[in-house]
Amino acid sequence: MLHLQLDPSSGIPIYRQMMDQIQRYIVLGAIGPGDQLPSIRALAEQLRVNPTTVVKAYTELEHTGIIERQHGRGVFVHRQVNDVLERRRDGLNAVGGLDQEATQLVFRALELGLDPTAVRAVVEDAIKHIMGGDG
Amino acid sequence: MLHLQLDPSSGIPIYRQMMDQIQRYIVLGAIGPGDQLPSIRALAEQLRVNPTTVVKAYTELEHTGIIERQHGRGVFVHRQVNDVLERRRDGLNAVGGLDQEATQLVFRALELGLDPTAVRAVVEDAIKHIMGGDG
Amino acid sequence: MLHLQLDPSSGIPIYRQMMDQIQRYIVLGAIGPGDQLPSIRALAEQLRVNPTTVVKAYTELEHTGIIERQHGRGVFVHRQVNDVLERRRDGLNAVGGLDQEATQLVFRALELGLDPTAVRAVVEDAIKHIMGGDG
Amino acid sequence: MLHLQLDPSSGIPIYRQMMDQIQRYIVLGAIGPGDQLPSIRALAEQLRVNPTTVVKAYTELEHTGIIERQHGRGVFVHRQVNDVLERRRDGLNAVGGLDQEATQLVFRALELGLDPTAVRAVVEDAIKHIMGGDG
DNA sequence: GTGGTCTAGACCACT
DNA sequence: GTGGTCTAGACCACG
């Protein structure tokens, strides 16, 4: 059962929040290649969001090759999803790995008035949250 | 002389880019409490953007308590800006405005096959890189 | 149906008049937490003002925590609006209740050359105007 | 010695704050007809404001007949200031520039959970406090 | 000179 | 449909 946590007032588009979280389930192995995802209608009802929002999230994920929609059958994790992730791994490495994102994070922290120690704490929290509490 | 670098095609609103960079100047100490900022018109001209866009950036920064606008006189770094930053430091440790970004970072790391220790190292490098280079 | 009365020649900015009146509707309980407010375009049309003026009123009200804007969905009375009003109540009490404002009012009256009886009359009018269910 | 208290960040124009307070001194009898007021230059220096701001305050007060400027001699409380105040008393009872302020006061009271009777009491206290304590 | 407000209208993003 | 951003330009108010 796919459980997504949405925050309409976060400033991040709902369809984006959905995409990110579905991707994470896949990366963490909670769902794998060929697994079926909830129907648009079901997910929309469950999350109390507009069906078109689900459509947008699924469409974007399909464009990236993460999922595949089969007419009349449903939505599934793409059978070659691991290839996609693999290719992405290489792509990120080519650009220089996570350095840029980490730098960005630290800058954002400074802009918010946090000091380095606070940044480390936030990162630790994220690590704990992801590695420890997965479904 | 405040120099801002704008990227109109980044997807990030121009006023947001301005806010972030001005905040950054303040956090890094390039400008301090009471210092005057460029006038709306001057900054608009310099950056080749519409004055109302500058107004929006300044207005939002004023709402956060970072700057202070004085009708007929100009725009200034708020005299109690350090109090504001201090309060943020305390307040945002619990609320975690950076949580999502940090989570994103860790997930990207997972996609790359890195472990938590490697993430910490990357973040440390970023901190050193940024904090070590100030005058 | 939210009915706002604007006076363009009052010297008070239109967006400020809108803010004040919407706030009053909420304080008086005419609209409550979660209720939807008129769309920007609808309100602009109804009041014959520019949509950006409505945007400004709504933006400021959002900053105070009174309302909540949801991209693509609409504008709503903030679900925790009562918390905001509560905090404001406390704030006013901390500063010394209404004494300061009342004193200010009487002083202003003196500056205008009014005597105490006239002040009482003005206050009575305000009470009648608000409590008496104005059109 | 005229002592004015200015708050540049109150939102109220500085020249207006000056006008209000000078008027208040006169209404309360601290200074009377024919008394000399500080020179523009002296007042500007004392209050650390732009001389043109003092000029504006004095000019506006002169237009209302509250003060008179005598070329080369200085600025004085108008010798017929009491006539002006008298005329106002008669004329402005109906117009009431205080309506909005009174309305604000009543609304704040509502936010505090006070009823109309309590508002009247607060206003009475303010009147007593001001009228009772004059020289 | 400064900032404050408002208009008219375009184009984009989200639900 | 909704809100979000940006432009161009006018006019007003303040110091």
Side-chain angles (χ1 to χ4, degrees):
Chain A
M1 178 55 168
L2 204 63
H3 185 67
L4 306 182
Q5 192 71 26
L6 303 180
D7 179 5
S9 60
S10 69
I12 298 165
I14 291 175
Y15 82 92
R16 202 64 176 86
Q17 296 181 43
M18 294 174 63
M19 286 176 64
D20 288 347
Q21 292 180 41
I22 290 171
Q23 228 168 280
R24 281 169 197 184
Y25 274 115
I26 295 170
V27 169
L28 292 176
I31 49 179
D35 286 355
Q36 184 160 11
L37 293 167
S39 74
I40 290 173
R41 192 177 152 185
L43 195 52
E45 271 178 28
Q46 177 197 331
L47 300 175
R48 314 277 223 86
V49 299
N50 194 306
T52 61
T53 304
V54 181
V55 169
K56 175 141 191 180
Y58 276 172
T59 303
E60 293 290 311
L61 285 173
E62 189 178 28
H63 285 150
T64 67
I66 296 283
I67 67 172
E68 55 183 328
R69 298 162 73 180
Q70 295 180 17
H71 235 84
R73 290 198 57 238
V75 184
F76 305 84
V77 177
H78 197 103
R79 279 158 299 190
Q80 275 78 44
V81 68
N82 288 322
D83 296 356
V84 174
L85 295 177
E86 187 75 34
R87 251 179 283 127
R88 190 180 289 183
R89 259 185 281 273
D90 299 340
L92 283 175
N93 275 329
V95 186
L98 297 180
D99 292 353
Q100 273 190 340
E101 278 189 63
T103 302
Q104 181 74 352
L105 180 74
V106 177
F107 258 123
R108 294 272 308 137
L110 287 175
E111 287 158 12
L112 285 169
L114 299 176
D115 59 19
T117 300
V119 180
R120 294 187 190 98
V122 170
V123 173
E124 280 311 311
D125 283 349
I127 291 172
K128 250 181 268 177
H129 185 251
I130 293 168
M131 305 301 289
D134 63 327
Chain B
M1 179 54 169
L2 206 62
H3 187 69
L4 305 183
Q5 194 69 27
L6 302 180
D7 178 3
S9 62
S10 70
I12 299 166
I14 291 174
Y15 81 92
R16 208 35 178 113
Q17 296 181 43
M18 295 174 64
M19 286 176 64
D20 288 348
Q21 291 180 44
I22 290 170
Q23 242 170 267
R24 190 176 294 182
Y25 273 115
I26 294 170
V27 169
L28 293 178
I31 48 180
D35 287 353
Q36 184 158 10
L37 292 167
S39 77
I40 292 174
R41 290 165 175 79
L43 196 51
E45 228 174 89
Q46 178 195 329
L47 301 175
R48 313 284 216 81
V49 300
N50 193 290
T52 60
T53 303
V54 181
V55 167
K56 177 149 193 180
Y58 276 170
T59 302
E60 293 292 309
L61 284 174
E62 189 178 36
H63 274 134
T64 68
I66 296 282
I67 69 170
E68 197 176 2
R69 293 180 298 170
Q70 290 180 20
H71 202 149
R73 296 223 320 121
V75 182
F76 306 82
V77 177
H78 196 103
R79 282 159 299 189
Q80 273 79 43
V81 69
N82 289 323
D83 295 355
V84 174
L85 297 178
E86 186 76 32
R87 247 178 288 127
R88 271 198 199 171
R89 251 183 288 273
D90 302 337
L92 288 186
N93 276 332
V95 184
L98 292 182
D99 283 359
Q100 281 186 334
E101 278 185 65
T103 302
Q104 276 285 24
L105 182 74
V106 177
F107 265 113
R108 293 277 161 71
L110 288 176
E111 287 180 350
L112 285 168
L114 300 178
D115 60 16
T117 301
V119 179
R120 292 187 191 96
V122 170
V123 172
E124 280 310 313
D125 282 349
I127 291 173
K128 250 182 266 174
H129 184 251
I130 294 168
M131 302 303 288
D134 65 333
Chain C
M1 178 53 167
L2 206 64
H3 186 67
L4 305 182
Q5 193 70 26
L6 302 181
D7 178 3
S9 62
S10 70
I12 299 167
I14 291 174
Y15 81 92
R16 204 50 176 103
Q17 297 181 43
M18 295 175 63
M19 286 177 64
D20 288 346
Q21 292 179 43
I22 290 171
Q23 228 168 286
R24 280 168 196 184
Y25 273 115
I26 294 170
V27 169
L28 292 178
I31 48 179
D35 287 354
Q36 184 158 10
L37 292 166
S39 78
I40 292 173
R41 290 164 175 81
L43 195 52
E45 227 175 88
Q46 178 196 329
L47 300 175
R48 313 284 217 83
V49 299
N50 192 291
T52 60
T53 302
V54 181
V55 168
K56 178 151 191 179
Y58 276 170
T59 302
E60 292 292 309
L61 283 173
E62 189 177 36
H63 275 132
T64 68
I66 296 282
I67 69 169
E68 197 175 1
R69 294 180 297 171
Q70 290 180 19
H71 203 149
R73 296 225 318 123
V75 182
F76 306 83
V77 177
H78 195 102
R79 282 158 299 189
Q80 273 77 45
V81 69
N82 289 324
D83 295 356
V84 175
L85 296 178
E86 186 76 33
R87 248 179 286 127
R88 192 179 288 186
R89 258 186 281 271
D90 297 342
L92 283 176
N93 275 329
V95 185
L98 295 180
D99 293 352
Q100 275 190 340
E101 277 188 64
T103 302
Q104 181 74 352
L105 180 74
V106 177
F107 261 122
R108 294 270 309 134
L110 288 175
E111 286 158 13
L112 286 169
L114 298 177
D115 61 18
T117 300
V119 179
R120 293 189 190 95
V122 169
V123 173
E124 280 311 312
D125 283 349
I127 291 173
K128 249 181 267 176
H129 185 250
I130 294 167
M131 304 300 290
D134 58 323
Chain D
M1 179 54 168
L2 204 63
H3 185 66
L4 305 183
Q5 193 72 24
L6 303 180
D7 179 3
S9 60
S10 69
I12 299 164
I14 291 175
Y15 82 92
R16 203 63 174 88
Q17 296 182 43
M18 294 175 63
M19 286 176 63
D20 288 349
Q21 292 180 43
I22 290 170
Q23 253 173 244
R24 190 176 295 183
Y25 274 116
I26 294 170
V27 169
L28 292 177
I31 49 179
D35 287 353
Q36 183 160 10
L37 292 168
S39 74
I40 291 173
R41 192 176 150 186
L43 195 51
E45 273 177 26
Q46 177 197 329
L47 300 174
R48 315 274 225 85
V49 300
N50 195 307
T52 61
T53 305
V54 181
V55 168
K56 174 141 192 181
Y58 276 173
T59 304
E60 293 290 311
L61 285 173
E62 189 178 28
H63 284 151
T64 67
I66 296 283
I67 67 172
E68 54 184 331
R69 299 162 74 180
Q70 295 180 17
H71 233 84
R73 289 197 59 237
V75 184
F76 304 84
V77 177
H78 197 104
R79 278 158 300 189
Q80 274 78 45
V81 68
N82 288 322
D83 295 355
V84 174
L85 295 178
E86 187 74 33
R87 251 180 283 127
R88 266 201 202 168
R89 252 183 288 274
D90 301 336
L92 289 186
N93 273 336
V95 183
L98 296 181
D99 284 357
Q100 282 182 333
E101 277 186 66
T103 303
Q104 274 286 25
L105 181 74
V106 177
F107 264 113
R108 292 276 163 71
L110 287 177
E111 285 181 350
L112 285 168
L114 300 177
D115 60 18
T117 301
V119 180
R120 293 186 190 98
V122 170
V123 173
E124 281 309 313
D125 284 349
I127 291 173
K128 251 181 266 175
H129 184 250
I130 294 169
M131 303 303 288
D134 64 332

